[in-house]
Amino acid sequence: MARRGYRWWYLDGTSADGAHHVVVIAFVGSVFSPFYARAAQRGAADPSEFCAFNVGLYNRTSRHTWVFSEYQPTAISRSATAFGIGANQVRWDGERLRIAVDDRSAPLQQSIKGTITARPRALTERPFRFGRDDAHRWWPVAPILDLAVDIDSAGLHWQGRGYTDMNDGAEPLHEGFDDWHWCRWHDDDVSRIQYRARHSDGETTSLDLSIDPTGAVHTNDLPGAQALRRSGWGIAREQYGAAAAPRVATLDDTPFYARSLLLRDGTSPVMHESLSLTRFRRAWVRQLLPFRMRFPIGRLFR
């Protein structure tokens, strides 16, 4: 990986009854770490020294559990099929992705332990490149997963469907982009993904994908944007081409990022995110980030 670069693996899913949701992200070069951003400003920071693990557990009563832990390099192990981050383990056996969660929530320090098992129905063949000099890639690796979530410490045991992708880049995310909006949902056995990213050089990448059960990717023209209500922190949100305004349930509301569900009658929930990197670049925002994280205390003095 490039110095000052990043890579992350993302998974989300919803229970069959629509009552529960999960998001997991494993980072090499944690793009939202104020410590990695500070090291990158000083020079060629090594992304492998700033690995992090993020879990969000959500339900319809708005009781949320949040894990975002950054680890020292000595707590990291990586191979072709496994990624260990602290006591957490992400492992691929050729057919299933198994995530063993063993961490503590932020800021309450609750123990969060359990497993998430995902079996892809199909894999896609290639990533999409964008940004200056194609410096960034996004790959919807497995757009439909059969998911089993067993978080024993929280009493959560459910099955449903999910999705996983991968992002990586050769420069800090906040240098390559000003903002983006992304959403995805399942339309029967077809995965739908819409993505609009505004680059820091003023260019825009727009994608509207339909991915069929074989993993074949079909591209469409992204419909016009419709503004949704802003998040509590004032982050703009938008959707594309829907006939009616959805109900918006905010899962995570931060000064630079909003994760939401868009709920429409008769359709599956739409997982949605809006990210403002112009906001992330502000010093006061980075000063707030450690309150949502667990991190090695020595990082405060580096």
Side-chain angles (χ1 to χ4, degrees), residues 140-194:
V141 179
I144 301 182
L145 307 167
D146 294 314
L147 202 62
V149 175
D150 294 286
I151 305 298
D152 301 320
S153 60
L156 292 176
H157 302 279
W158 55 264
Q159 296 183 346
R161 288 203 298 182
Y163 160 95
T164 190
D165 67 18
M166 183 273 287
N167 287 65
D168 69 350
E171 64 181 1
L173 194 70
H174 61 274
E175 292 184 8
F177 298 93
D178 282 347
D179 56 53
W180 74 43
H181 303 274
W182 170 93
C183 65
R184 71 104 200 143
W185 70 99
H186 293 137
D187 187 359
D188 293 326
D189 287 332
V190 174
S191 183
R192 293 295 311 278
I193 307 168
Q194 296 177 330

Side-chain angles (χ1 to χ4, degrees), residues 1-5 35-50 170-172 175 302:
M1 287 180 59
R3 296 280 177 148
R4 303 174 71 246
F35 311 110
Y36 186 39
R38 189 168 62 197
Q41 285 179 335
R42 293 198 299 259
D46 184 349
S48 66
E49 294 183 359
F50 297 87
E171 64 181 1
E175 292 184 8
R302 289 178 58 186

Side-chain angles (χ1 to χ4, degrees), residues 7-126:
R7 179 171 296 165
W8 78 71
W9 295 264
Y10 168 96
L11 175 145
D12 73 47
T14 297
S15 63
D17 62 3
H20 298 278
H21 312 277
V22 64
V23 173
V24 180
I25 312 176
F27 295 92
V28 179
S30 180
V31 293
F32 304 130
S33 165
F35 311 110
Y36 186 39
R38 189 168 62 197
Q41 285 179 335
R42 293 198 299 259
D46 184 349
S48 66
E49 294 183 359
F50 297 87
C51 295
F53 189 73
N54 174 223
V55 179
L57 301 169
Y58 315 92
N59 64 28
R60 60 163 58 115
T61 64
S62 297
R63 246 184 72 231
H64 299 167
T65 299
W66 174 263
V67 171
F68 194 168
S69 300
E70 187 173 303
Y71 287 92
Q72 296 277 27
T74 53
I76 305 303
S77 61
R78 296 167 63 192
S79 71
T81 58
F83 184 16
I85 314 169
N88 308 288
Q89 185 79 212
V90 181
R91 184 176 297 276
W92 170 251
D93 68 7
E95 294 184 356
R96 293 172 300 180
L97 184 69
R98 185 177 185 275
I99 303 171
V101 179
D102 187 353
D103 217 311
R104 291 189 175 275
S105 68
L108 299 180
Q109 302 292 304
Q110 297 169 304
S111 176
I112 307 297
K113 292 185 179 183
T115 60
I116 299 165
T117 305
R119 184 187 294 272
R121 297 188 184 181
L123 302 176
T124 63
E125 292 184 350
R126 67 176 181 88

